Structures are given as C-alpha cells and as structure tokens.
Amino acid sequence: WYDVECCKAFNVDGAIAVYPFSCRAYANNPLMVVKAIKEEVGIPAITLEYGGYDCRDSPAGALRTRVETLAELLRMRKASQGG
C-alpha cells in the first residue's frame, strides 16, 4: 500500500484516510488502508468521510470531534512512550 509506505517514510504518529460521503463504494479502500496502517506501521489511524458538494453531509463539529479524539490518543500514546 502506498499509504503504508508513506507513513513509514515520513515517520508519522497517526494517519487519517478520507473518502467522499456520497460514494459508499469508495469507502472500502480507506478502510483497508487504515487497517493496513494499524497492523503494518503500528500507529493510530482513522477514516473520515467528507461531503465534497454539500457541507451538511459532513458537519464541522462531527469532523472536529473525530480529529480531536485522534489527537488526544496520539498525545496519550506519546506520553506513555516517554516522548
């Protein structure tokens, strides 16, 4: 997976994979990418869906909550590793 190799190459702490809200068929790829990142790289990763044409499909508050949760997980993980 290209995304897995990018995570390794850039030594990131976490990853976010996105897909368009209106295209559920496309959701499979980001879900597989997130699974591969978690298993092969060992870092937290989430999927986010976005509404490319209508912002009501992906309210800012919901996206913010998901990203803040990931950020908190990353902070706790870093603190437990002593970094």
Side-chain angles (χ1 to χ4, degrees):
W1 296 92
Y2 175 77
D3 301 274
V4 170
E5 295 306 315
C6 285
C7 287
K8 290 177 183 177
F10 291 105
N11 194 28
V12 297
D13 295 328
I16 300 173
V18 298
Y19 64 94
F21 179 80
S22 58
C23 189
R24 294 290 185 195
Y26 184 70
N28 289 333
N29 187 50
L31 294 172
M32 291 187 296
V33 165
V34 164
K35 183 178 182 204
I37 289 170
K38 288 178 178 179
E39 292 175 357
E40 295 181 34
V41 186
I43 60 173
I46 62 170
T47 58
L48 289 180
E49 57 187 17
Y50 68 92
Y53 298 108
D54 189 350
C55 64
R56 294 174 293 182
D57 290 338
S58 51
L63 294 175
R64 185 178 304 114
T65 299
R66 303 262 335 264
V67 172
E68 285 175 348
T69 302
L70 176 64
E72 182 61 28
L73 176 64
L74 294 172
R75 280 191 287 275
M76 291 185 326
R77 189 169 189 250
K78 193 168 233 179
S80 72
Q81 294 174 346

